[in-house]
Amino acid sequence: ILFFNICIFIRISVYKGFTVSIVKVIEVISEGKTIEEAIQYAVHEASKTVKDIKQVDVDHIHAKVENGHITKYRIDARISFVVHR
């Protein structure tokens, strides 16, 4: 499962008027058997349509429990990528 919520956060960095970079952030919810698998799946699916991914920030980790055992992990994350002009 992968859900996208596109948030347009634009970060502009200017240092003495020479460098400007624009970064967009999308919010993603992803599932996996492990936390790492959930994060990797989110990046893998996002990279199909988004290029130059630079960072993943995991906001929340949820675990689905059945019969006393964790069966899946779900993450809420933000994926940052550079926008090229």
Side-chain angles (χ1 to χ4, degrees):
I1 294 176
L2 182 71
F3 300 100
F4 282 101
N5 179 22
I6 299 175
C7 295
I8 303 174
F9 295 107
I10 299 177
R11 297 179 187 153
I12 301 174
S13 300
V14 178
Y15 179 72
K16 295 184 181 179
F18 294 107
T19 304
V20 175
S21 62
I22 299 173
V23 177
K24 284 191 178 181
V25 179
I26 56 174
E27 292 182 354
V28 179
I29 298 172
S30 179
E31 274 186 356
K33 292 181 181 178
T34 66
I35 296 168
E36 184 178 346
E37 183 180 280
I39 296 168
Q40 186 59 49
Y41 182 67
V43 171
H44 174 74
E45 288 298 310
S47 68
K48 290 180 179 178
T49 57
V50 173
K51 304 299 177 213
D52 211 4
I53 294 173
K54 296 296 182 186
Q55 182 171 317
V56 178
D57 294 315
V58 178
D59 292 329
H60 295 95
I61 300 170
H62 310 276
K64 184 173 182 179
V65 178
E66 293 177 5
N67 299 321
H69 294 86
I70 295 173
T71 58
K72 292 181 185 175
Y73 290 93
R74 178 177 281 177
I75 59 149
D76 300 338
R78 291 180 296 184
I79 296 177
S80 304
F81 59 96
V82 174
V83 177
H84 297 285
R85 298 184 213 184

